[in-house]
Amino acid sequence: MFSKNNEEKKLDWMYKGPTSGIDREDYLLGRSIDKSLEQLNAAEKQAQLPINPPKNHVEHECIPPSIRDFKKMQLGEQVDLAQKLQEDPLFAIRKQEEETRLRLLQNPVQLKKLHINANFTVHVCNLRSNLILSVRLSNRVVKSEMAAEIKPATKSTNDKFCTTKKPALLAKLEGCNDDINAAVLIPGEDGIISVCDDKTVRVWLKRDSGQYWPSICQYMPSGATSMFYTRETKQLFIGQENGTVSEFTLASDFNRMMPVREYLAHQARVTDIHFALNCEWVLSIGRDKVFSYHCTQTGRQIGEHTAEAWCTALQFDSQTKHAFVGDYSGQITMLKLDNNGASIITTLKGHSGSVRTLAWDPEKQMLFSGSFDQSVIVWDIGGQQGTAYELQGHHNKVSALCYLGGSRQLVSAGEDGVIVFWDMTKQRKETPEWVESDTCQLCSRPFFWNIRAMMDQRQLGLRQHHCRHCGKAVCDRCSTARLPIPIMGFEFNVRVCEPCHAVLQDIERPSLATFHDAKHSVVAMNLDETRKRIVTVGQDRLIKIWDISALL
């Protein structure tokens, strides 16, 4: 304690000045310790600012001196208002605008333009006011009609839906946690097999309650992307996301799946599979642009073919051993298969979008292809004449095709949620090739790329169109008519030229297809012709079973 007091005394000189008026606690707490210095600073500030400025005072060089000099204001001297106005920056702008207006009034050409613009503005304002008034009146009329009567809702954009004969919805299957890629009906059974991106293969059987419940839920190593089921041997082939094709055998009661063999066929997603029982070949395509086929007895690969783009659709004629591979570029490659490999026969080109689905008529040797370009093309392979005609009945991508050999009907479905039944017993006409021309073939007016004719005729070029009936190159003025041509596959109104319209309008043109609403966007479809059932898979992850007996 004694040593501590001695140390404090030794440091006292640091806190004592000449007047010894410094408080030690104030110094340690950061307070002011020199009162005389503060008083001196306050006196100097008071001497420099004898006038108290207003609250909104801003010291800046841009403020005119007439309003910055507070001393003159305090002494009561009069301010020169004229000089003060000239110092205002808006004064020069107003003066410049007045000079511009004066020059405009002295120029007769500019006055005429100003007069025209004023008239146009008044006209637009009048139109706008009339439009607002008409909208208000129409709203009042609509409100009064709604108060008096509740009218039914407008019909769908597709007014061709058949109301008398249509598919009957039997059941809806739900419960998948991811996109469903395919579903097939088990022939002769009340059952369905489905594959899904959630790696599951489900076998749905109808219970006594009338509901479908999975009897098998098999998990695959990767997403199940495609499948093929054979009724005779109960063989089930599953394509996977990792490129593997897995072979299973189903039990007779459909409660168990026995693995048989795996085929390392692809390096990417398997998009379609087909099994040829008479040849014992399993054919597959994938996103690695490869078509491959293996022998199911030995498991070895027999042959393969590399396409130019993703392979997206597959069909096989077991009698002639011809395979048809549709790809993402819109081409269909026809291959001849044997035990030594695959050889290219020809390439079918007609679609402007990727080929999504294929169907085959073994009796008439006709191939059907559905594409993202919203069209279906019928290829007459057996005729060997290169005949092909289009079927236009969808407003979105065509994603599924099935052919009914007994009634000779083609069933197509697409992402527009429409199922179309096409009558293939009628004789149809091939669509004509479009003619290319530099001028309209009816009025001889030039198209926009014909610069020389545009200069000679002194007129702007027109856009080229084509008549769907004759294929001539025509302008818009010469092809204003629209009508359906079912015999050529056009079920909706299409563009026709004036001469063709004059011929077709007097001819009876009955529809050769029936349209039905599936209530969901269809991505896959399968049918059982013997039991008159059809199953559709939608983007809403629902599987719907339909009864089509009324349409056959």
Side-chain angles (χ1 to χ4, degrees), residues 34-35 64 79 84 88 137 164 219 251 264 268 281 320 364 383 404 446 454 458 461 468:
D34 197 347
K35 304 297 182 180
V79 179
K84 186 175 181 180
D88 188 0
L137 291 176
T164 56
Y219 278 88
L264 303 178
W281 292 345
T320 61
K364 297 294 182 180
L404 296 166
M454 290 167 55
R458 295 183 178 180
R468 301 307 191 268

Side-chain angles (χ1 to χ4, degrees), residues 403-411 421-425 529 548 551-552:
Y403 183 72
L404 296 166
S407 59
R408 292 195 61 189
Q409 287 182 297
L410 177 67
V411 186
F421 284 74
W422 303 88
D423 186 4
M424 304 307 297
T425 60
E529 189 174 1
I548 59 173
L551 302 171
L552 302 181

Side-chain angles (χ1 to χ4, degrees), residues 182-244:
V184 297
L185 290 161
I186 302 176
E189 298 287 339
D190 285 327
I192 288 178
I193 307 173
S194 65
V195 293
C196 183
D197 277 341
D198 61 1
K199 304 180 182 181
T200 60
V201 179
R202 290 181 171 92
V203 179
W204 308 73
L205 294 179
K206 189 177 181 180
R207 307 302 179 180
D208 295 336
S209 62
Q211 301 293 327
Y212 285 81
W213 292 97
S215 61
I216 298 176
C217 185
Q218 176 78 26
Y219 278 88
M220 306 299 294
S222 61
T225 58
S226 56
M227 67 172 169
F228 189 91
Y229 176 70
T230 306
R231 175 184 180 180
E232 292 79 6
T233 58
K234 290 185 172 56
Q235 287 176 281
L236 178 64
F237 297 88
I238 306 296
Q240 300 182 46
E241 184 73 34
N242 59 9
T244 304

Side-chain angles (χ1 to χ4, degrees), residues 329-449:
S329 66
Q331 298 182 5
I332 302 173
T333 305
M334 183 177 178
L335 302 172
K336 176 65 176 179
L337 307 184
D338 53 31
N339 291 324
N340 297 322
S343 58
I344 300 177
I345 302 299
T346 185
T347 301
L348 307 177
K349 300 179 180 180
H351 286 291
S352 59
S354 61
V355 179
R356 179 62 181 84
T357 177
L358 294 173
W360 176 250
D361 178 10
E363 182 181 353
K364 297 294 182 180
Q365 297 280 301
M366 301 185 74
L367 180 69
F368 309 95
S369 60
S371 170
F372 281 5
D373 60 5
Q374 307 177 11
S375 68
V376 178
I377 297 183
V378 183
W379 310 86
D380 188 3
I381 305 298
Q384 298 182 358
Q385 299 294 327
T387 306
Y389 54 87
E390 297 182 17
L391 302 177
Q392 298 282 350
H394 289 275
H395 292 295
N396 208 331
K397 302 173 182 178
V398 180
S399 55
L401 290 175
C402 293
Y403 183 72
L404 296 166
S407 59
R408 292 195 61 189
Q409 287 182 297
L410 177 67
V411 186
S412 65
E415 294 186 4
D416 55 355
V418 179
I419 302 175
V420 186
F421 284 74
W422 303 88
D423 186 4
M424 304 307 297
T425 60
K426 305 295 182 181
Q427 188 67 28
R428 297 178 182 269
K429 290 184 178 180
E430 189 176 3
T431 54
E433 294 185 3
W434 286 0
V435 180
E436 297 297 332
S437 176
D438 293 333
T439 59
C440 176
Q441 293 184 295
L442 295 180
C443 66
S444 300
R445 289 189 296 175
F447 296 126
F448 63 86
W449 59 82

Side-chain angles (χ1 to χ4, degrees), residues 215-329:
S215 61
I216 298 176
C217 185
Q218 176 78 26
Y219 278 88
M220 306 299 294
S222 61
T225 58
S226 56
M227 67 172 169
F228 189 91
Y229 176 70
T230 306
R231 175 184 180 180
E232 292 79 6
T233 58
K234 290 185 172 56
Q235 287 176 281
L236 178 64
F237 297 88
I238 306 296
Q240 300 182 46
E241 184 73 34
N242 59 9
T244 304
V245 177
S246 301
E247 180 184 352
F248 295 89
T249 301
L250 293 180
S252 58
D253 57 356
F254 298 100
N255 287 321
R256 190 159 52 95
M257 291 174 55
M258 288 79 72
V260 178
R261 184 179 284 109
E262 288 191 350
Y263 306 90
L264 303 178
H266 301 277
Q267 301 296 324
R269 179 187 180 102
V270 180
T271 54
D272 206 351
I273 301 175
H274 189 91
F275 175 62
L277 182 60
N278 60 338
C279 307
E280 293 185 346
W281 292 345
V282 55
L283 295 77
S284 62
I285 56 174
R287 287 190 177 178
D288 56 354
K289 306 179 183 180
V290 173
F291 161 78
S292 175
Y293 63 108
H294 294 70
C295 177
T296 57
Q297 292 295 322
T298 61
R300 69 178 184 88
Q301 184 183 32
I302 301 175
E304 68 176 13
H305 167 74
T306 303
E308 297 180 0
W310 287 355
C311 298
T312 53
L314 175 64
Q315 270 298 328
F316 181 69
D317 183 16
S318 58
Q319 297 177 359
T320 61
K321 296 182 180 180
H322 285 96
F324 302 91
V325 180
D327 59 35
Y328 198 78
S329 66

